[in-house]
Amino acid sequence: MSQATRRESIALPTGADYLREILRAPVYEAAIVSPLQDMPRLSSRLNNHIQLKREDRQPVHSFKVRGAYNMMAQLTDEQKQAGVIAASAGNHAQGVALSGNQLGVEATIVMPRTTPAIKVDAVRSFGGNVVLHGSNFDEAKGRAQELADEHGFTFIPPFDHPAVIAGQGTLGMEMLQQNGHMDYVFVPVGGGGIAAGVSVLIKQLMPQIKVIGVEAEESACLKAAMDKGYPVVLDNVGTFADGVAVKRIGDETFRLCHQYLDDVITVSSDEICAAVKDIFEDTRAISEPSGALSLAGLKQYVETHQLTGKNLVNVLSGANTNFHSLRYVSERAELGEKREGLLAVTIPERTGAFLEFCHVLGGRAVTEFNYRHSDNADANIFVGVRLLNGQEELDAIMVDLQQAGYPVVDLSDDEMAKVHVRYMIGGKPSKPLNEKLYSFEFPEYPGALIKFLNTLGTHWNISLFNYRNHGSDYGRVLCGFELEDKDLLEFSSHLRDLGYQWKDVSKTPSYNFFLAN
């Protein structure tokens, strides 16, 4: 029997079932009816009426309390007496802790040891018992399930349960009551709880409204499932938008999203950063990256489909962010809006060459200029340029430079350039090296660096090392190794033993332009 056939043989809740459960969900014992706020600046810029559903105003600063409370309120007296458990590094943890406090249910939350103290303290402030275990979510979830079996706790999943989905669906009901003239609703997708709940509710009552799911490019588990026809496990997920960093969409959330969503789109980290800035400029609210996901999708969809004069609603799903991560957001927002371009340009190594180069730019504002003497013939420079007309203007600048005799490469979409290389200009080795370059996502916990060096650093010479962290659970490491071809098989084995996410970036343009010999 196929997987699809097995699922069809199970009696699953219908759309009408979900509508009934959403209408009777007692979430307002813990949650509030969040405002639907106009975004006048962005509305004027995009020529549409855009509104923002302010779930950051919830007591836990995210929508997660809706699903957690709805499920926990329906537990039997015996289950409540035994207590509940969840695994989370963020918003779901706080939702379960607050719900437990409201219902008088002891709530234990297993969180990875890498979880920032601000999030751990927030869970404890709501009365949750915190257990720190493992270096990632999967390890924490495994421990939570072990504790549930040992102590009889009820496990509260973050998204893949009908009661959780119905709780999140109350958000859709509020939006219909606050604006019955919506044309499009954009919802973020991580595990699919909010997308499933909102779409099933809206399609039961006003099916003419389009509901669009938005995923981060680095964790597009729903798109992968849509392509295959069933949920699949992603090999890796990016951690920037950590609130939606899910490797596998839920079974029930996938079923509902597949049936009720009108479209699913993906957005880049730079587009998310630009959306965080848009939210701040219109409302003065500071969104977490995943909280701005649906607005990033809205903006992309408007541009792609040339929408005008429509009523568009998106969800600010959470605002639990680390202050230091805003530095990264600020750096990348201009790139996400195509208001800045990054270029690698070769100019002659002689007096007055930079002035001549600036004349070719035609008075455009230079946002960044990195250079270090390399040889007596040519200089490779890293240049940021302010843009008024996006990619069209950047293309015109490149044509002007090429016609003036300057070799130029567009680095605006080169991740290595944006994360590492722009801070390392002038770092070419003084002698030829057989060097391979790798990027790593480096977990923030005591002993992580020692583990890295013990596994790799004692076997091969490290020829380059750059570390960047912007207040998130993971830092970014760029590392060069001296490797002969005969070493590559053994080296790859050690990379697997290391257990961190990694990628060979030896062929990226920015590395070869500025750092390779």
Side-chain angles (χ1 to χ4, degrees), residues 72 82-87 92 96 105-110 129 131 140-141 143-149 151-157:
M72 291 170 63
V84 300
I85 194 165
H92 180 57
V96 172
V105 177
E106 184 174 351
T108 300
I109 316 295
V110 184
N129 302 319
V131 175
K141 181 180 179 181
R143 181 57 179 156
Q145 291 171 329
E146 290 174 358
L147 291 173
D149 292 338
H151 300 283
F153 298 146
T154 298
F155 185 81
I156 307 297

CSV table of all heavy atoms in Angstrom, one decimal, residues 72 82-87 92 96 105-110 129 131 140-141 143-149 151-157:
chain,number,residue,atom,x,y,z
A,72,MET,N,-3.5,22.3,25.0
A,72,MET,CA,-3.4,22.0,26.4
A,72,MET,C,-4.7,22.2,27.1
A,72,MET,O,-5.0,21.5,28.1
A,72,MET,CB,-2.3,22.9,27.0
A,72,MET,CG,-0.9,22.5,26.5
A,72,MET,SD,0.4,23.7,27.0
A,72,MET,CE,0.3,23.6,28.8
A,82,ALA,N,-0.5,15.1,35.2
A,82,ALA,CA,0.8,14.5,34.9
A,82,ALA,C,1.8,15.5,34.4
A,82,ALA,O,3.0,15.4,34.6
A,82,ALA,CB,0.6,13.4,34.0
A,83,GLY,N,1.3,16.6,33.7
A,83,GLY,CA,2.1,17.6,33.2
A,83,GLY,C,2.4,17.4,31.7
A,83,GLY,O,2.1,16.4,31.1
A,84,VAL,N,3.0,18.4,31.1
A,84,VAL,CA,3.3,18.4,29.7
A,84,VAL,C,4.7,18.7,29.4
A,84,VAL,O,5.4,19.2,30.3
A,84,VAL,CB,2.4,19.4,28.9
A,84,VAL,CG1,0.9,19.2,29.1
A,84,VAL,CG2,2.8,20.9,29.3
A,85,ILE,N,5.2,18.4,28.2
A,85,ILE,CA,6.6,18.6,27.8
A,85,ILE,C,6.6,19.0,26.4
A,85,ILE,O,5.7,18.7,25.6
A,85,ILE,CB,7.4,17.3,28.1
A,85,ILE,CG1,8.9,17.7,28.0
A,85,ILE,CG2,7.1,16.2,27.1
A,85,ILE,CD1,9.8,16.6,28.6
A,86,ALA,N,7.6,19.8,26.0
A,86,ALA,CA,7.8,20.3,24.6
A,86,ALA,C,9.3,20.4,24.4
A,86,ALA,O,10.1,20.5,25.3
A,86,ALA,CB,7.1,21.6,24.4
A,87,ALA,N,9.7,20.5,23.1
A,87,ALA,CA,11.0,20.7,22.7
A,87,ALA,C,11.0,22.0,21.9
A,87,ALA,O,10.3,22.0,20.9
A,87,ALA,CB,11.7,19.6,22.0
A,92,HIS,N,7.6,28.5,20.5
A,92,HIS,CA,6.8,27.5,21.0
A,92,HIS,C,7.0,27.2,22.5
A,92,HIS,O,6.1,27.0,23.3
A,92,HIS,CB,7.0,26.2,20.2
A,92,HIS,CG,6.1,25.0,20.6
A,92,HIS,ND1,4.8,25.1,20.6
A,92,HIS,CD2,6.5,23.8,21.0
A,92,HIS,CE1,4.3,23.9,21.1
A,92,HIS,NE2,5.3,23.1,21.3
A,96,VAL,N,4.0,27.3,25.3
A,96,VAL,CA,3.7,26.2,26.2
A,96,VAL,C,3.8,26.6,27.7
A,96,VAL,O,3.0,26.3,28.5
A,96,VAL,CB,4.6,25.0,25.9
A,96,VAL,CG1,4.4,23.9,26.9
A,96,VAL,CG2,4.3,24.4,24.5
A,105,VAL,N,-0.9,23.8,34.8
A,105,VAL,CA,-0.3,22.6,34.4
A,105,VAL,C,1.2,22.7,34.4
A,105,VAL,O,1.8,23.7,33.8
A,105,VAL,CB,-0.8,22.2,32.9
A,105,VAL,CG1,0.0,20.9,32.5
A,105,VAL,CG2,-2.3,22.0,32.9
A,106,GLU,N,1.9,21.8,35.0
A,106,GLU,CA,3.4,21.9,35.0
A,106,GLU,C,3.9,21.6,33.6
A,106,GLU,O,3.6,20.6,33.0
A,106,GLU,CB,4.0,20.9,36.0
A,106,GLU,CG,5.5,21.0,36.1
A,106,GLU,CD,6.0,20.0,37.2
A,106,GLU,OE1,5.2,19.5,38.0
A,106,GLU,OE2,7.3,19.9,37.3
A,107,ALA,N,4.7,22.6,33.1
A,107,ALA,CA,5.3,22.5,31.8
A,107,ALA,C,6.8,22.4,31.8
A,107,ALA,O,7.5,23.2,32.4
A,107,ALA,CB,4.8,23.7,30.9
A,108,THR,N,7.3,21.3,31.2
A,108,THR,CA,8.8,21.2,31.1
A,108,THR,C,9.2,21.4,29.6
A,108,THR,O,8.5,20.9,28.7
A,108,THR,CB,9.2,19.7,31.5
A,108,THR,OG1,8.8,19.5,32.8
A,108,THR,CG2,10.7,19.6,31.3
A,109,ILE,N,10.2,22.2,29.4
A,109,ILE,CA,10.6,22.5,28.1
A,109,ILE,C,12.1,22.1,27.9
A,109,ILE,O,13.0,22.5,28.7
A,109,ILE,CB,10.6,24.1,27.8
A,109,ILE,CG1,9.2,24.6,28.3
A,109,ILE,CG2,10.8,24.3,26.3
A,109,ILE,CD1,8.0,24.1,27.6
A,110,VAL,N,12.4,21.2,27.0
A,110,VAL,CA,13.7,20.8,26.7
A,110,VAL,C,14.3,21.8,25.6
A,110,VAL,O,13.7,21.9,24.5
A,110,VAL,CB,13.8,19.4,26.2
A,110,VAL,CG1,15.3,19.0,26.0
A,110,VAL,CG2,13.2,18.5,27.2
A,129,ASN,N,9.6,24.8,33.4
A,129,ASN,CA,10.8,24.1,33.9
A,129,ASN,C,11.7,23.9,32.6
A,129,ASN,O,11.3,23.2,31.7
A,129,ASN,CB,10.5,22.8,34.5
A,129,ASN,CG,9.5,23.0,35.7
A,129,ASN,OD1,9.7,23.9,36.5
A,129,ASN,ND2,8.6,22.1,35.8
A,131,VAL,N,14.9,22.3,30.7
A,131,VAL,CA,16.0,21.3,30.7
A,131,VAL,C,16.9,21.6,29.5
A,131,VAL,O,16.4,21.6,28.3
A,131,VAL,CB,15.4,19.8,30.6
A,131,VAL,CG1,16.5,18.8,30.4
A,131,VAL,CG2,14.5,19.5,31.8
A,140,ALA,N,17.3,17.9,21.3
A,140,ALA,CA,16.4,18.3,22.4
A,140,ALA,C,15.1,17.6,22.3
A,140,ALA,O,14.5,17.1,23.3
A,140,ALA,CB,16.2,19.8,22.3
A,141,LYS,N,14.6,17.4,21.1
A,141,LYS,CA,13.3,16.7,20.9
A,141,LYS,C,13.4,15.3,21.3
A,141,LYS,O,12.5,14.7,21.9
A,141,LYS,CB,12.9,16.8,19.4
A,141,LYS,CG,11.5,16.2,19.1
A,141,LYS,CD,11.1,16.3,17.7
A,141,LYS,CE,9.8,15.6,17.4
A,141,LYS,NZ,9.4,15.7,16.0
A,143,ARG,N,15.3,14.0,23.6
A,143,ARG,CA,15.3,13.9,25.0
A,143,ARG,C,13.9,14.2,25.6
A,143,ARG,O,13.5,13.6,26.6
A,143,ARG,CB,16.3,15.0,25.6
A,143,ARG,CG,16.4,15.0,27.1
A,143,ARG,CD,16.8,13.6,27.7
A,143,ARG,NE,16.9,13.6,29.1
A,143,ARG,CZ,16.7,12.5,29.9
A,143,ARG,NH1,16.5,11.3,29.3
A,143,ARG,NH2,16.9,12.6,31.2
A,144,ALA,N,13.2,15.1,25.0
A,144,ALA,CA,11.8,15.4,25.4
A,144,ALA,C,10.9,14.2,25.3
A,144,ALA,O,10.1,13.9,26.2
A,144,ALA,CB,11.2,16.6,24.6
A,145,GLN,N,11.1,13.5,24.2
A,145,GLN,CA,10.2,12.3,24.1
A,145,GLN,C,10.6,11.2,25.1
A,145,GLN,O,9.8,10.4,25.5
A,145,GLN,CB,10.4,11.8,22.6
A,145,GLN,CG,9.7,12.7,21.6
A,145,GLN,CD,10.0,12.4,20.2
A,145,GLN,OE1,11.0,11.9,19.8
A,145,GLN,NE2,9.0,12.7,19.3
A,146,GLU,N,11.9,11.1,25.4
A,146,GLU,CA,12.4,10.1,26.4
A,146,GLU,C,11.7,10.5,27.8
A,146,GLU,O,11.2,9.6,28.5
A,146,GLU,CB,13.9,10.2,26.5
A,146,GLU,CG,14.6,9.5,25.3
A,146,GLU,CD,16.1,9.7,25.5
A,146,GLU,OE1,16.6,10.3,26.5
A,146,GLU,OE2,16.9,9.2,24.6
A,147,LEU,N,11.8,11.8,28.1
A,147,LEU,CA,11.2,12.2,29.4
A,147,LEU,C,9.7,12.0,29.4
A,147,LEU,O,9.1,11.7,30.5
A,147,LEU,CB,11.6,13.7,29.6
A,147,LEU,CG,13.0,14.0,29.9
A,147,LEU,CD1,13.3,15.5,30.0
A,147,LEU,CD2,13.5,13.4,31.2
A,148,ALA,N,9.0,12.2,28.3
A,148,ALA,CA,7.6,12.0,28.2
A,148,ALA,C,7.3,10.5,28.5
A,148,ALA,O,6.3,10.2,29.3
A,148,ALA,CB,7.1,12.4,26.8
A,149,ASP,N,8.1,9.6,28.0
A,149,ASP,CA,7.8,8.2,28.3
A,149,ASP,C,8.1,7.8,29.7
A,149,ASP,O,7.4,7.1,30.3
A,149,ASP,CB,8.7,7.4,27.3
A,149,ASP,CG,8.3,7.5,25.9
A,149,ASP,OD1,7.1,7.8,25.6
A,149,ASP,OD2,9.2,7.2,25.0
A,151,HIS,N,8.0,9.8,32.5
A,151,HIS,CA,7.2,10.5,33.5
A,151,HIS,C,5.8,10.6,33.1
A,151,HIS,O,5.0,11.1,33.9
A,151,HIS,CB,7.8,11.9,33.8
A,151,HIS,CG,9.2,11.9,34.2
A,151,HIS,ND1,9.6,11.6,35.5
A,151,HIS,CD2,10.4,12.2,33.6
A,151,HIS,CE1,10.9,11.7,35.6
A,151,HIS,NE2,11.4,12.0,34.5
A,152,GLY,N,5.4,10.1,32.0
A,152,GLY,CA,3.9,10.2,31.6
A,152,GLY,C,3.5,11.6,31.2
A,152,GLY,O,2.3,11.9,31.2
A,153,PHE,N,4.5,12.5,30.8
A,153,PHE,CA,4.1,13.8,30.3
A,153,PHE,C,3.4,13.7,28.9
A,153,PHE,O,3.7,12.8,28.1
A,153,PHE,CB,5.4,14.7,30.1
A,153,PHE,CG,6.1,14.9,31.3
A,153,PHE,CD1,7.5,15.1,31.3
A,153,PHE,CD2,5.5,15.1,32.6
A,153,PHE,CE1,8.3,15.3,32.4
A,153,PHE,CE2,6.3,15.3,33.7
A,153,PHE,CZ,7.7,15.5,33.6
A,154,THR,N,2.5,14.6,28.6
A,154,THR,CA,1.9,14.7,27.3
A,154,THR,C,2.8,15.6,26.5
A,154,THR,O,3.1,16.8,26.9
A,154,THR,CB,0.5,15.3,27.4
A,154,THR,OG1,-0.3,14.4,28.1
A,154,THR,CG2,0.0,15.5,25.9
A,155,PHE,N,3.2,15.1,25.3
A,155,PHE,CA,4.1,15.9,24.4
A,155,PHE,C,3.2,16.9,23.6
A,155,PHE,O,2.2,16.5,23.0
A,155,PHE,CB,4.8,15.0,23.5
A,155,PHE,CG,5.9,15.7,22.6
A,155,PHE,CD1,7.1,16.0,23.1
A,155,PHE,CD2,5.6,16.1,21.3
A,155,PHE,CE1,8.1,16.7,22.4
A,155,PHE,CE2,6.5,16.7,20.5
A,155,PHE,CZ,7.7,17.0,21.0
A,156,ILE,N,3.6,18.2,23.7
A,156,ILE,CA,2.9,19.2,22.9
A,156,ILE,C,3.7,19.6,21.7
A,156,ILE,O,4.7,20.3,21.8
A,156,ILE,CB,2.7,20.5,23.8
A,156,ILE,CG1,2.0,20.1,25.2
A,156,ILE,CG2,1.8,21.5,23.1
A,156,ILE,CD1,0.6,19.5,25.0
A,157,PRO,N,3.3,19.2,20.5
A,157,PRO,CA,4.1,19.4,19.3
A,157,PRO,C,3.9,20.9,18.9
A,157,PRO,O,2.9,21.5,19.2
A,157,PRO,CB,3.4,18.5,18.3
A,157,PRO,CG,2.0,18.3,18.7
A,157,PRO,CD,2.1,18.4,20.2
